[in-house]
Amino acid sequence: MEPTELERIARQIRLRDLQAVYEAGAGHIGGEMSVIDILTALYFRVLRVWPDQPKHPERDRFVLSKGHTACALYVTLAKRGFIPEEEISTFLQPHSRLNGHPNNNKVPGVETNTGPLGHGLPVAVGMAKAAKLSGAKYHTYVITGDGEMQEGSNWEAIMAAAQFGLDNLTLVIDHNRFQQGAALADTNDLAPLRPKLEAFGWEVTEINGNAMSEVVPALEHRSSRPHCIVAHTNKGHGISFMQDRVDWHHKVPSKEQYDLAVAELSEAI
Amino acid sequence: MNAPVSTAKLHDCRDAFAATLEKLAENDETIVAVCNDSVGSSKLGGFKSKFPDRLVNVGIAEQNMVGVGAGLANGGRLAFVCGASPFLTGRALEQIKADISYSNANVKLVGISSGMAYGELGPTHHSIEDFAWTRALPNLPVIAPCDRIETAAAVEWAASYDGPCFLRLSRVGVPDLLPANHKFELGKANLLRDGSDVTLIANGTLTHRMMKAAEILAGQGISARVLNLATVRPIDEEAIIAAAHETGAIVTAEEHTIFGGLGSAVAEVIVEHAPIPMKRLGVPGVFAPTGSAEFLLDEFGMRPASIAEAAVTVIKRK
Ligand SMILES: Cc1ncc(C[n+]2csc(CCOP(=O)(O)OP(=O)(O)O)c2C)c(N)n1
Ligand SMILES: [Mg+2]
C-alpha cells in the first residue's frame, strides 16, 4: 500500500478514535493522535499478520507498550479485520472487552497486556529472543512513549537486546515531547535519545513520525543490531487546538471542540 | 442502572489529603512531596505552586521514586511519596520492603486512586492487591481512611509519627462519616453504629456502604454493628474479638481482592481468638471486567442491599 493511501486510512482512524473518546467520555487522545500514523503503517503495510488467524505462529509480533492509547489500537485492529468495526462503540462500556488498556485474553491481535508503563519492551525482547532460539522468521515491533522511557525497566531491556544481538527487534519511541503532567523537558528530559540508544549498542534512525513517507521505510529497515526509531511526533497531531498541549493527554473534547476536530480531520481526507 | 449509594454530599479524599499536606508544609519546611509525573492525579498542584522547590517529580519511574524518598528521609526530609497505588505498591514493592520498611525510613507512602478507582482503565490500573502486599511487611502501618475527615486526620498523624506508613486513598466520592473533630489513632477501629446481631467491618470506600446496609438491616429488625477499620495493620484485635463475642457474626467488605486483604486480616483474628460465622465480600479473586468503580463494587456483591443479604445469610449460620 502506498503512502498516500496509508495517510487516508490514518485519517479515518483518527476520526474514529476521536469519536470513540468523545462518546466514551474518556481516553488518551493526545498520545493516540501522535501514534496513529505508525500504527497504520504497521498494520496496513509492514506487519505480516492474518486477522483470521491471530495466533498464526509466523505472525510478526507487535506490542503497544504505551497501552493507555489502546483506543487507537482497537480502531486499527477493527479496520484491519481483527474485531468488528461496530464494536468500537462499546469502548469503556460495562463488560466490553475494549477497556482502557488492551487485554490479550479478550481482544484478538493483542499479544500481551500493557498499561503500566515500561512493560512492553522487555516482553518484546523475549519475543525476539524466542525467534532466535526457534529459528522463527517473525520480526518484533514495540512502541513506547517518550515519557515511558523514564522507566528503568526499558533500559534493562535495551541492554539485553544488544547483548543478545537481536537484529529482529524494532523499537519505536513515540517522541511527542510530552508526558502526562508536563513536557519531558520540564520533568525528566531524555532528549536527545539517539546518543543514549547508540551508546547501548543499537542502530538509531530519526524520522518525522507523522510523515508516512518516512515512517514506512524506517519500519521496513533491517539492521544487524536492534533498531530504534526515534519518531518525532506531535501530541494531538492533526487537531490544531490539541497539538502540543499537555492538557490533551487525557482531556475529553466538548461538543464544540469535537465538531471542530471532526471538521479539521475531515478536511484532510 | 446504578442507583447512587448515598444521597449525602460526596467528597474526593484527595482534596483533604492535599489541603492537609499543604497546611503541614507551611509549618514544617522539612516536608517534601515526591511523585511520578502524578502532580495532577495526586492533587499536588497547590503544593507545587506554594513550595516549588519541595516538589520532587522523578518522572515515570516508581522504583526510583521510592528509593529517592528513602534517601530524602535519610537526609532529614519528611517525604510524602505519592503515586497511583497500583504502580507505587506494585512496581516498587521491593523498594518499599528493603528501602522503607526494613531500613525504617521515615517515609509516608501515599497510594492514590487505590482499589478500582480507575474503573474502566482496567485491571492493570486496579490496586486491589495493595493491602495484601503491604500488610505482609513488618514496620509498615497500613491505613485506608473512610472519608475526608479521617483522611485529613491520618495525614496529620502520619506527619507526626516517626516511621514509615502506607496511606491508601481513593478518588471515588464518599460522604462524611466521622465527627469533624475526629483524631486518628493507629490501630483503633471506630464504632460508627452499635448493634448486637452482626458486625459489619470495612474501611475506605466501603464504610459508607456498610452504614447503608446497616440501615437496610434495621428495617428488617436486624441490629448491625458497624466498625470502621482504617488500620489494617496493626489490626484492632480487641474490637474484633469483642464484636465476635457480642454479635456472633461478621461481614467484611473491601475494595480489594478477598485474598489477603481486610477480610483476611479480620479472619486471622477470628480464627485464632473467637471462631464465629463470617463472610468476606470483595473482589473474588478475578480480574475485573470493564466498568466504573461503583459499577464494579455493585457487580461484586457490595451494593448495600447485597451486603445486607450476605449479613442475613451469615447470621443464619450462627
Ligand atoms: C508505571 C506507570 N506509571 C504511571 C502511569 C500513569 N501514566 C499513564 S500515561 C502517562 C504518561 C505517558 O507519557 P508518554 O509515555 O510520553 O506517552 P504519550 O505522550 O505517548 O501519551 C502516565 C504517567 C502508568 N500508566 N504506568
Ligand atoms: Mg509522550
Side-chain angles (χ1 to χ4, degrees):
Chain A
M1 201 176 277
E2 290 309 304
T4 46
E5 179 60 10
L6 293 170
E7 278 162 18
R8 202 178 56 78
I9 296 173
R11 280 181 226 117
Q12 291 169 349
I13 294 176
R14 280 197 166 81
L15 267 169
R16 190 65 192 89
D17 180 272
L18 168 73
Q19 186 193 347
V21 170
Y22 174 67
E23 286 173 358
H28 289 87
I29 198 155
E32 281 157 13
M33 294 300 143
S34 70
V35 80
I36 281 172
D37 298 302
I38 301 159
L39 287 176
T40 305
L42 280 168
Y43 276 95
F44 290 87
R45 161 105 184 210
V46 177
L47 291 180
R48 273 170 35 98
V49 286
W50 297 270
D52 54 338
Q53 296 175 74
K55 295 276 181 202
H56 194 296
E58 285 167 35
R59 71 193 184 279
D60 284 338
R61 303 304 200 268
F62 169 67
V63 179
L64 182 66
S65 190
K66 41 174 271 181
H68 56 285
T69 57
C71 189
L73 179 64
Y74 298 148
V75 174
T76 309
L77 287 173
K79 234 184 157 33
R80 188 69 171 80
F82 283 87
I83 55 174
E85 292 203 62
E86 312 83 73
E87 201 178 330
I88 298 301
S89 62
T90 72
F91 177 55
L92 304 187
Q93 296 305 307
H95 290 292
S96 167
R97 54 181 178 166
L98 308 183
N99 81 28
H101 296 86
N103 183 338
N104 70 334
N105 297 298
K106 294 184 178 167
V107 184
V110 176
E111 297 284 351
T112 183
N113 291 343
T114 53
L117 297 165
H119 282 244
L121 182 53
V123 178
V125 166
M127 292 169 174
K129 177 72 178 167
K132 287 288 173 202
L133 293 171
S134 68
K137 290 284 168 279
Y138 65 79
H139 195 85
T140 300
Y141 292 89
V142 52
I143 302 180
T144 63
D146 50 0
E148 179 179 9
M149 293 307 292
Q150 292 161 351
E151 289 285 2
S153 53
N154 287 316
W155 299 93
E156 297 175 20
I158 286 167
M159 289 187 279
Q163 177 71 25
F164 299 160
L166 299 180
D167 57 6
N168 55 353
L169 175 67
T170 300
L171 159 66
V172 184
I173 303 178
D174 182 0
H175 194 11
N176 58 26
R177 293 162 280 113
F178 290 92
Q179 49 195 98
Q180 180 169 268
L184 265 77
D186 298 327
T187 310
N188 184 336
D189 198 3
L190 288 164
L193 285 158
R194 174 195 281 273
K196 295 185 175 67
L197 269 296
E198 283 178 345
F200 279 75
W202 285 52
E203 180 175 329
V204 179
T205 309
E206 293 198 65
I207 60 163
N208 175 348
N210 296 126
M212 211 50 92
S213 56
E214 296 187 33
V215 173
V216 170
L219 290 170
E220 288 178 342
H221 175 74
R222 290 293 176 267
S223 166
S224 57
R225 291 177 285 156
H227 181 210
C228 173
I229 301 171
V230 178
H232 296 272
T233 59
N234 302 308
K235 207 153 175 169
H237 186 84
I239 304 171
S240 58
F241 60 91
M242 291 186 188
Q243 192 162 312
D244 296 349
R245 296 281 309 274
V246 69
D247 42 333
W248 284 102
H249 175 71
H250 54 198
K251 220 167 94 167
V252 178
S254 66
K255 175 80 177 95
E256 286 96 79
Q257 289 169 327
Y258 174 67
D259 291 341
L260 196 61
V262 169
E264 284 190 17
L265 291 174
S266 309
E267 205 172 293
I269 289 185
Chain B
M1 176 176 30
N2 297 310
V5 169
S6 174
T7 48
K9 192 163 167 24
L10 304 181
H11 303 278
D12 179 341
C13 291
R14 294 178 303 170
D15 293 319
F17 156 70
T20 310
L21 187 65
E22 287 170 36
K23 191 187 75 190
L24 292 167
E26 264 157 32
N27 300 315
D28 181 351
E29 62 174 35
T30 68
I31 290 184
V32 294
V34 189
C35 72
N36 57 330
D37 189 18
S38 61
V39 174
S41 51
S42 302
K43 296 262 183 187
L44 290 171
F47 188 96
K48 187 183 173 190
S49 48
K50 286 186 185 146
F51 318 105
D53 300 341
R54 289 152 63 184
L55 189 274
V56 182
N57 183 356
V58 300
I60 310 168
E62 293 73 22
Q63 301 178 50
N64 189 34
M65 171 172 71
V66 172
V68 166
L72 285 163
N74 173 282
R77 303 293 102 182
L78 179 51
F80 281 77
V81 173
C82 317
S85 203
F87 314 132
L88 169 69
T89 60
R91 189 58 153 273
L93 187 57
E94 192 181 84
Q95 276 77 10
I96 292 176
K97 173 182 167 182
D99 312 347
I100 306 291
S101 112
Y102 182 40
S103 299
N104 192 30
N106 187 21
V107 169
K108 318 304 166 182
L109 301 165
V110 185
I112 307 281
S113 304
S114 62
M116 297 180 293
Y118 277 127
E120 299 88 344
L121 292 188
T124 56
H125 283 54
H126 295 166
S127 199
I128 56 167
E129 306 86 5
D130 50 11
F131 280 150
W133 291 339
T134 57
R135 182 169 92 77
L137 297 174
N139 190 34
L140 187 73
V142 177
I143 300 156
C146 69
D147 67 3
R148 60 177 177 158
I149 298 158
E150 190 172 30
T151 301
V155 172
E156 284 191 11
W157 170 85
S160 65
Y161 172 74
D162 184 19
C165 64
F166 171 51
L167 298 182
R168 185 190 197 249
L169 307 184
S170 181
R171 64 161 69 198
V172 176
V174 284
D176 290 344
L177 295 168
L178 290 163
N181 62 353
H182 175 72
K183 268 234 164 295
F184 179 81
E185 269 186 88
L186 182 68
K188 274 270 163 270
N190 317 112
L191 180 68
L192 294 188
R193 176 179 178 128
D194 207 357
S196 52
D197 296 328
V198 61
T199 301
L200 311 180
I201 304 179
N203 61 20
T205 52
L206 263 303
T207 302
H208 79 101
R209 286 177 177 250
M210 289 305 215
M211 291 297 279
K212 282 275 162 190
E215 268 172 44
I216 295 170
L217 288 166
Q220 301 167 12
I222 295 169
S223 160
R225 178 178 296 187
V226 179
L227 286 181
N228 174 51
L229 193 79
T231 314
V232 174
R233 180 173 176 171
I235 201 161
D236 190 343
E237 294 198 350
E238 210 179 301
I240 294 166
I241 294 167
H245 288 150
E246 290 159 23
T247 69
I250 288 180
V251 177
T252 59
E254 58 197 305
E255 199 173 324
H256 190 276
T257 166
I258 57 167
F259 297 95
L262 165 90
S264 300
V266 170
E268 288 161 13
V269 176
I270 292 303
V271 163
E272 288 193 353
H273 300 281
I276 47 148
M278 182 181 165
K279 176 71 186 171
R280 292 168 300 144
L281 300 175
V283 181
V286 297
F287 290 114
T290 305
S292 70
E294 302 278 9
F295 169 83
L296 292 172
L297 288 177
D298 289 353
E299 278 282 287
F300 289 128
M302 289 178 277
R303 210 186 280 271
S306 321
I307 296 172
E309 272 169 41
V312 169
T313 309
V314 81
I315 289 168
K316 285 195 190 127
R317 286 170 42 210
K318 275 191 197 179

